[in-house]
Amino acid sequence: GDKRKSHMVKGLWNYAIKATSIEKTTEFYVRNFDAEVRIRSEVLGSRYHLLRLGDSRLIIFDKAPYEDLIGRTLPPGYLHDVYEVDDFDEHINRLRDSGVRFVMEPQELEADFGRRRIAFFENPDGMRTEVMQVLEDSDKV
């Protein structure tokens, strides 16, 4: 078969924004987009709400989980997009080979949404992106 199939990106898993008030922003999406709040929790020192809007997931943070690593306070608004992959190591190697700058080095993470392998990096225009392999999914997501 096609060897590349094992390295395919499964798709956009979620996108993330930073809010001055998680509660007010969550309420905005619930009221105006019929969003469903699935998780209210904390990960890597950041509080977050995970919302479902139809087939899409939105995570609203009080601060980016990598803000301390980049050493600056990010403004409210768009933070990053998250792509789910089957072969995490293959993708990390491809990203390193293309010279990306990692904002957060690859690591394994356990949170209310499940167990993951994650890494944050910047695309050529400096847009933050996460590559993620789902090791175990919570039934809440």
Side-chain angles (χ1 to χ4, degrees):
D2 186 353
K3 183 178 176 290
R4 290 182 331 171
K5 283 250 189 292
S6 66
H7 308 312
M8 282 180 51
V9 171
K10 296 177 87 170
L12 180 70
W13 200 87
N14 75 277
Y15 65 101
I17 63 174
K18 178 178 178 175
T20 49
S21 164
I22 299 181
E23 287 71 22
K24 279 185 188 163
T25 302
T26 296
E27 177 53 35
F28 173 85
Y29 283 99
V30 168
R31 186 173 57 247
N32 294 293
F33 292 91
D34 300 323
E36 189 185 338
V37 182
R38 296 285 184 91
I39 300 175
R40 297 172 193 263
S41 191
E42 193 175 302
V43 65
L44 298 169
S46 298
R47 289 191 324 109
Y48 74 91
H49 290 173
L50 188 151
L51 279 56
R52 282 299 291 259
L53 294 83
D55 292 334
S56 298
R57 296 180 194 88
L58 166 62
I59 298 183
I60 303 168
F61 285 103
D62 65 345
K63 69 173 188 141
Y66 43 77
E67 268 187 58
D68 295 340
L69 294 173
I70 61 176
R72 68 183 199 272
T73 301
L74 296 169
Y78 177 83
L79 287 177
H80 59 265
D81 47 0
V82 180
Y83 295 96
E84 182 182 358
V85 300
D86 279 327
D87 190 331
F88 186 79
D89 294 323
E90 166 69 18
H91 275 269
I92 294 302
N93 291 335
R94 278 164 73 179
L95 290 164
R96 285 198 200 285
D97 289 347
S98 40
V100 304
R101 190 173 77 77
F102 282 92
V103 171
M104 181 185 290
E105 287 292 327
Q107 62 177 275
E108 193 171 310
L109 172 75
E110 188 152 2
D112 284 355
F113 45 73
R115 241 168 19 91
R116 307 276 191 267
R117 293 177 77 196
I118 65 166
F120 286 93
F121 60 93
E122 290 182 349
N123 79 5
D125 293 311
M127 195 170 95
R128 291 171 306 272
T129 303
E130 178 184 344
V131 64
M132 170 192 81
Q133 181 179 7
V134 174
L135 301 175
E136 196 180 323
D137 240 346
S138 155
D139 57 5
K140 299 177 191 170
V141 300

